[in-house]
Amino acid sequence: MNSENEIHRSGWGVFKPMDLNRVMKLFEDNDKDDLEEKQLKSVKKLVQYYQNGLPLRDLAQIFKILNLCAGKIENQPQFIEPACDILKLCGLPFLKKKVSDEITYAEDTAISIALLGDLMKIPSSELRIQICKCIVDFYHAEPKKHIPGYQQASSSYKIKMAEVGGLAKTMVQSMTLLENQLVEKLWVLKVLQHLSTSEVNCTLMMKAQAASGICVHLNDPDPSGQLLFRSSEILWNLLEKSSKEEIIQQLSNLECLLTLKEVFKNLFTRGFSHYDRQLRNDILVITTIIAQNPGAPMILLIDGKVVLALFTYIKKPEKHKIIEWSAAQHEELQLHAIATLSSVAPLLIEEYMSCQGNARVLAFLEWCDSEDPFISQGNSFHGAGGRGNKFAQMRYSLRLLRAMVYLEDETVNTDLCEKGTIQQLIGIFKNIISKTNEKEEAIILEIQSDILLILSGLCEHHIQRKEIFGTEGVDIVLHVMKTDPKKIQSGLGYNVLLFSTLDSIWCCILGCYSSEDYFLEKEGIFLLLDVLALNQKKFCNLILGIMVEFCDNPKTSAHVNAWRGKKDQTAASLLIKLWRKEEKELGVKRDKNGKIIDTKKPLFTSFQEEQKIMPLPANCPSIAVMDIAENIRAKIYAVLGKLDFENLPGLSAEDFVTLCIIHRYLDFKIGEIWNEIYEEIKLEKLRPVTADKKILEGITTASENIGKMVVSLQNEMIESQARQDAQSEQKVYAKIQATHKQRDLANKSWENFLARTSNAKTLKKAKRLQEKAIESSKYKGQPQNTILHRTVIKGLNTTVPSGGVVTVESTPVRLLGGPLADTDLALKKLPIRGGALQRVKTIKIGNGQNKSIPS
């Protein structure tokens, strides 16, 4: 391939176009006397020509020249300098004439960059160091001056091509060539440190066994300290960005563990700076991670009595004892020791038990819970949240206990229970409640969560231990359940605490009748339903599982039916609402009224619709079976079934429509599974015998008929509700009409009244009509010898019937003296205005009327 025909301009003049083919041919010729001088001159000219960067189109030829040049170094050392000069050019940004050049020459570029790793085999310290500098420059490229007609390739292009070419793998392999060359080794580690920032490169390095190769040399002599720092950084990147399990496997050999042990010991005894402490902590954590592998040869730990040594720090401070560490240093060592035991002790159970581990941890926890004065520094990583108290020590001690309990080793757990762990942890929990404050809220929540998880691990499957948990344990569970819902939704560890609490209900209360009854008596079911009503999906499955188990207790149903939520919502209504929400999220087909659409597949989710039925082994659950475990519908069905479908309070018509489906959930699911069986038989091209075929078809038809029956029942309910709504609407309309009619009559009466009082003619007319009505109402036939009395008072200017008593409302009360005016008591009171109050007496006047006058 020829170079470009344009003239390259540099700061020192103008050069003719380079013929790279001629340079390559010059290196391949061997029959000329002055060949070496010409080769060196041509390389020097090439370096000067491309001093501002290498074009992508020429890269393949230039790297071939570099390879030919480097191949002569072993016999002709004078070629070291030209090769290094070309490598310096490789550190500059690559140049592209077209935007598409990065794609067009990607393969050539990747092969060229991969060649850098192969050149590490050449035994030249100067060349190797220059190769490393070139690769490091990939990550620190600085833009150079603009070259007319060219653009610089993107800054990440070289890094990407290094990944494609597999440079990281060859650089790891080159480490074996540098056993005793410290300077070159440090440069290679610097390169690997940069390369390990990429997941692709970390995977390549992992395949080249980089972890074990680097780890065994951690303790090699290095006055600068760079070797340990860069190596630990690479190990961290490998653990984070590649397969953690594979890296742990590579480090799980005796040689690596002994090296880590020596490095840790040296840093522990000789390190004094913050940098040394950070490295020490990194090495300790890497060792702890390796301990997660059961196959790791940690028995070096047993022979060295490491577990016993770590336990020497897990005790309360001894007064008047002179120690070589400051209080802050001792606290940091103590917390590191407990954290290390949390990872190591579960792998060394016999060693843990022989050291009386349970007794030591429980005694230390007792000190943590005591009121003994202790001023924690809280400066270290492990001491976070524990300044001025013993919470950090308590947190890591509980983590250690939790790790041991969750091994489910009966020897360990029985020993803990015999030592009174259940009662001690309940006591610690109660004391922690009184110490809660916002400053240490996060660490206290973690402590409470761990206590509940430990109790769950100890009590599960053991009725006797559940009885020890007893009412005091139920009380701490109820305390957490009463947490403000706003806090539960806020995060800050409350979610974890609530999960731990629900787990403790399952493991420590369910199955123990006395604890169940006490939980019910203290309105525990109400609290469970309150949390369920928060409508947080992460809690629903666990709470419903607990509800299913609790409903086996005959006392539970009354509590569930008595619960009321917001807007007087009942438990049944809440559960049905959760069912509808779940089906909506699952993509189950329902119409606007919640009715079944497809009677053949009434429970099918969108996932089931997308998945094709395929033949499965008999021991492998099908999609229909897996659906039962993957959502909450089965649990809702179980709870409502135990509450009795026929007598559920507080349901709306919509709820009843949904309840029809829930009631038939089991029938639908059975039909769904039989349908899967039938379809699998068809896919496997099997022909069932006639009797079996009829049975399968009958089951399918029966399931579909149940669906049709449910739809019919749903239609009846919807129509009935529509009729009720129409009747209610008519009643409302009738009430509105009656109200309007009454209002019109009142308005008309008022208008008549105004007309009579403001117009004399209207009044007279009304009077005549009244008299006429009175006359017409009288009995016409008169017996003989009867005396008739007038019932109408003459001269009375009213148009309403008159009675025997007339009430005058126009006279003010202050003039009458009030209700006590005619009593002896009224005479004893001081006058309000004018003279003393006077008695009044009533006299009869004509026509049977009464009149009051002063006495």
Side-chain angles (χ1 to χ4, degrees):
M1 173 179 153
N2 294 324
S3 65
E4 63 275 6
N5 294 322
E6 293 85 358
I7 293 177
H8 279 239
R9 297 181 179 274
S10 69
W12 293 274
V14 178
F15 294 92
K16 295 179 181 179
M18 281 293 297
D19 188 350
L20 295 176
N21 287 330
R22 182 172 174 275
V23 177
M24 290 173 61
K25 187 176 181 182
L26 193 63
F27 270 89
E28 291 169 354
D29 289 342
N30 296 317
D31 55 349
K32 293 184 180 180
D33 297 333
D34 57 347
L35 186 63
E36 180 181 321
E37 184 179 350
K38 289 182 178 179
Q39 289 170 341
L40 292 171
K41 187 176 180 181
S42 65
V43 173
K44 185 176 181 181
K45 185 178 179 182
L46 181 148
V47 171
Q48 195 170 10
Y49 182 80
Y50 290 110
Q51 62 180 301
N52 289 318
L54 302 177
L56 290 174
R57 62 187 298 178
D58 293 345
L59 205 61
Q61 288 180 297
I62 292 171
F63 267 82
K64 286 179 182 177
I65 295 169
L66 171 62
N67 193 31
L68 291 169
C69 190
K72 296 179 177 289
I73 288 176
E74 192 168 0
N75 298 320
Q76 297 171 283
Q78 57 269 33
F79 279 92
I80 292 176
E81 185 178 353
C84 290
D85 288 341
I86 296 175
L87 285 170
K88 289 177 183 177
L89 296 179
C90 296
L92 300 175
F94 291 158
L95 303 175
K96 57 183 179 182
K97 195 168 185 64
K98 301 177 182 177
V99 175
S100 60
D101 281 359
E102 289 188 6
I103 300 173
T104 305
Y105 300 107
E107 185 177 355
D108 291 342
T109 305
I111 294 171
S112 301
I113 291 177
L115 181 65
L116 296 175
D118 295 331
L119 293 179
M120 290 294 291
K121 298 175 183 177
I122 296 173
S124 168
S125 175
E126 187 177 349
L127 181 71
R128 288 169 173 169
I129 291 172
Q130 189 56 53
I131 290 171
C132 293
K133 287 181 178 179
C134 171
I135 298 171
V136 171
D137 285 341
F138 289 1
Y139 294 84
H140 306 285
E142 296 181 3
K144 299 296 181 181
K145 66 180 182 179
H146 177 68
I147 308 298
Y150 286 92
Q151 292 178 327
Q152 292 186 3
S154 60
S155 58
S156 61
Y157 184 67
K158 286 184 181 178
I159 299 172
K160 180 66 177 176
M161 292 300 102
E163 293 175 355
V164 174
L167 177 62
K169 185 177 180 180
T170 54
M171 291 304 293
V172 171
Q173 293 169 343
S174 70
M175 290 282 290
T176 57
L177 306 172
L178 310 173
E179 292 292 335
N180 300 315
Q181 286 93 11
L182 178 61
V183 177
E184 291 96 313
K185 187 185 293 185
L186 291 177
W187 270 105
V188 172
L189 286 173
K190 186 174 183 179
V191 169
L192 291 175
Q193 185 181 1
H194 282 80
L195 291 173
S196 66
T197 56
S198 156
E199 291 184 4
V200 175
N201 287 334
C202 282
T203 302
L204 292 169
M205 292 166 67
M206 177 190 72
K207 292 179 179 178
Q209 302 292 312
S212 56
I214 291 172
C215 185
V216 294
H217 293 289
L218 281 175
N219 208 32
D220 287 0
D222 173 28
S224 70
Q226 290 186 50
L227 187 145
L228 181 57
F229 164 70
R230 297 193 188 282
S231 298
S232 63
E233 181 74 18
I234 294 168
L235 289 176
W236 268 117
N237 288 342
L238 288 171
L239 284 166
E240 290 179 352
K241 299 181 185 298
S242 64
S243 172
K244 185 178 179 181
E245 293 74 18
E246 177 62 28
I247 298 300
I248 291 174
Q249 191 65 40
Q250 290 183 20
L251 296 174
S252 296
N253 58 72
L254 193 58
E255 189 177 7
C256 287
L257 288 170
L258 288 173
T259 304
L260 288 168
K261 174 187 172 184
E262 290 302 316
V263 171
F264 178 75
K265 185 174 71 174
N266 292 337
L267 289 169
F268 195 72
T269 55
R270 301 172 189 172
F272 58 89
S273 66
H274 176 75
Y275 171 78
D276 291 332
R277 288 199 297 271
Q278 184 63 49
L279 274 177
R280 177 200 66 196
N281 293 347
D282 288 346
I283 298 299
L284 182 60
V285 175
I286 290 172
T287 307
T288 304
I289 292 172
I290 298 172
Q292 296 174 6
N293 179 16
M298 301 302 286
I299 195 167
L300 69 96
L301 295 177
I302 295 174
D303 293 342
K305 299 190 181 298
V306 174
V307 173
L308 181 61
L310 291 171
F311 266 122
T312 59
Y313 291 97
I314 306 179
K315 58 184 179 181
K316 65 179 182 180
E318 298 180 14
K319 296 179 180 179
H320 311 299
K321 182 178 180 180
I322 300 174
I323 56 175
E324 56 183 321
W325 309 101
S326 67
Q329 290 172 331
H330 184 270
E331 180 189 7
E332 189 169 352
L333 283 170
Q334 186 181 65
L335 294 172
H336 269 297
I338 307 172
T340 305
L341 275 172
S342 299
S343 297
V344 174
L347 303 173
L348 305 169
I349 299 175
E350 291 183 7
E351 184 74 0
Y352 174 85
M353 294 301 292
S354 67
C355 293
Q356 295 293 314
N358 287 338
R360 289 173 182 264
V361 176
L362 291 175
F364 188 67
L365 270 176
E366 186 177 357
W367 170 77
C368 292
D369 190 43
S370 68
E371 299 296 330
D372 291 354
F374 176 76
I375 301 176
S376 170
Q377 303 301 313
N379 295 325
S380 66
F381 168 78
H382 294 297
R387 189 173 183 83
N389 52 54
K390 293 174 275 191
F391 288 151
Q393 286 80 356
M394 183 180 289
R395 169 169 58 184
Y396 282 96
S397 300
L398 288 169
R399 282 187 186 178
L400 172 56
L401 273 185
R402 187 187 68 191
M404 298 308 297
V405 167
Y406 270 74
L407 292 172
E408 296 185 359
D409 185 281
E410 197 53 36
T411 305
V412 175
N413 290 358
T414 301
D415 183 60
L416 281 169
C417 292
E418 289 174 353
K419 288 180 168 56
T421 304
I422 295 175
Q423 300 94 320
Q424 183 176 347
L425 291 179
I426 291 172
I428 291 173
F429 195 102
K430 287 182 175 180
N431 292 338
I432 284 285
I433 292 172
S434 62
K435 298 176 182 177
T436 302
N437 58 68
E438 291 184 3
K439 189 176 180 182
E440 289 95 17
E441 187 175 29
I443 190 171
I444 287 175
L445 290 172
E446 184 182 342
I447 288 171
Q448 291 175 329
S449 299
D450 282 343
I451 288 175
L452 290 172
L453 288 173
I454 293 167
L455 290 170
S456 298
L458 290 174
C459 295
E460 190 174 16
H461 309 309
H462 293 83
I463 298 296
Q464 188 177 1
R465 295 176 189 173
K466 291 181 181 182
E467 290 173 351
I468 296 172
F469 183 82
T471 57
E472 290 189 355
V474 175
D475 285 335
I476 64 173
V477 168
L478 293 170
H479 173 80
V480 179
M481 295 293 292
K482 293 175 182 176
T483 303
D484 185 353
K486 292 180 181 178
K487 289 186 177 180
I488 293 173
Q489 295 169 339
S490 69
L492 298 176
Y494 279 100
N495 282 340
V496 177
L497 178 59
L498 186 55
F499 273 119
S500 304
T501 306
L502 294 173
D503 188 52
S504 66
I505 294 174
W506 188 281
C507 298
C508 303
I509 298 176
L510 285 169
C512 178
Y513 297 129
S514 58
S515 296
E516 284 186 12
D517 289 347
Y518 185 74
F519 184 83
L520 291 171
E521 180 186 335
K522 293 295 182 179
E523 299 182 348
I525 288 293
F526 288 5
L527 297 173
L528 275 175
L529 289 168
D530 287 342
V531 178
L532 188 63
L534 295 177
N535 208 7
Q536 294 202 12
K537 190 173 179 64
K538 53 194 168 188
F539 299 127
C540 288
N541 205 359
L542 187 52
I543 293 174
L544 287 169
I546 293 170
M547 294 285 293
V548 171
E549 296 298 321
F550 251 114
C551 284
D552 287 336
N553 189 320
K555 300 177 182 178
T556 303
S557 298
H559 287 261
V560 175
N561 288 328
W563 178 83
R564 291 295 182 272
K566 291 182 179 179
K567 298 181 180 178
D568 207 32
Q569 185 182 34
T570 63
S573 177
L574 171 62
L575 292 172
I576 294 171
K577 181 181 177 183
L578 288 174
W579 175 286
R580 283 197 295 268
K581 181 185 176 188
E582 184 77 357
E583 287 202 328
K584 186 176 180 181
E585 291 175 357
L586 293 171
V588 180
K589 292 180 180 178
R590 300 281 183 258
D591 70 1
K592 62 179 182 180
N593 295 315
K595 293 192 304 179
I596 294 171
I597 292 177
D598 188 351
T599 55
K600 292 183 179 179
K601 302 173 182 178
L603 298 178
F604 253 46
T605 65
S606 58
F607 176 75
Q608 287 176 283
E609 293 282 1
E610 293 167 4
Q611 297 297 313
K612 293 182 179 179
I613 296 175
M614 59 179 63
L616 295 170
N619 61 346
C620 184
S622 66
I623 297 173
V625 175
M626 289 297 294
D627 174 73
I628 297 172
E630 290 176 350
N631 59 69
I632 62 175
R633 292 190 293 179
K635 292 185 176 68
I636 293 174
Y637 165 77
V639 174
L640 290 175
K642 291 183 178 182
L643 294 177
D644 185 3
F645 284 108
E646 304 298 328
N647 298 303
L648 298 175
L651 301 185
S652 64
E654 184 184 17
D655 292 336
F656 278 113
V657 170
T658 307
L659 187 62
C660 291
I661 301 172
I662 301 174
H663 194 189
R664 289 293 185 173
Y665 173 79
L666 188 58
D667 296 326
F668 290 147
K669 185 55 68 174
I670 291 171
E672 196 176 294
I673 293 169
W674 275 109
N675 184 62
E676 277 187 339
I677 294 170
Y678 197 16
E679 292 298 323
E680 286 185 27
I681 289 172
K682 290 179 182 177
L683 289 171
E684 291 177 349
K685 297 181 179 179
L686 299 174
R687 292 180 61 188
V689 296
T690 305
D692 289 346
K693 186 177 181 181
K694 286 182 179 179
I695 292 171
L696 285 171
E697 289 174 350
I699 292 170
T700 304
T701 304
S703 178
E704 187 176 353
N705 288 338
I706 292 172
K708 291 177 179 177
M709 182 186 70
V710 170
V711 171
S712 176
L713 184 59
Q714 289 177 320
N715 285 330
E716 287 180 13
M717 290 182 175
I718 293 169
E719 290 170 5
S720 174
Q721 183 62 35
R723 286 194 299 270
Q724 289 182 12
D725 292 343
Q727 289 173 2
S728 299
E729 190 176 359
Q730 289 298 326
K731 288 180 181 179
V732 172
Y733 284 142
K735 189 175 181 180
I736 293 171
Q737 286 176 343
T739 303
H740 281 286
K741 187 175 181 180
Q742 191 67 27
R743 190 178 300 159
D744 291 341
L745 291 172
N747 290 339
K748 192 173 180 181
S749 175
W750 177 249
E751 289 171 1
N752 291 335
F753 174 75
L754 289 179
R756 293 196 306 270
T757 55
S758 59
N759 191 319
K761 290 182 179 180
T762 305
L763 180 61
K764 290 177 182 179
K765 184 179 179 181
K767 180 65 174 178
R768 286 194 300 270
L769 289 172
Q770 183 188 46
E771 290 174 349
K772 186 177 180 181
I774 292 171
E775 288 297 326
S776 64
S777 65
K778 289 180 180 180
Y779 180 65
K780 301 300 181 182
Q782 297 180 2
Q784 294 181 353
N785 304 320
T786 56
I787 301 174
L788 296 177
H789 299 278
R790 291 183 61 83
T791 57
V792 179
I793 303 171
K794 286 186 178 182
L796 190 62
N797 295 324
T798 63
T799 58
V800 295
S802 302
V805 179
V806 176
T807 303
V808 180
E809 296 182 352
S810 59
T811 308
V813 175
R814 57 187 175 80
L815 297 179
L816 299 176
L820 300 177
D822 60 345
T823 63
D824 294 332
L825 182 62
L827 297 175
K828 298 178 182 179
K829 293 187 175 292
L830 293 175
I832 298 174
R833 183 180 298 173
L837 293 175
Q838 299 179 353
R839 291 180 182 272
V840 295
K841 62 181 180 180
T842 304
I843 61 172
K844 289 188 179 181
I845 59 175
N847 300 324
Q849 296 190 60
N850 297 328
K851 185 176 181 181
S852 299
I853 61 172
S855 57

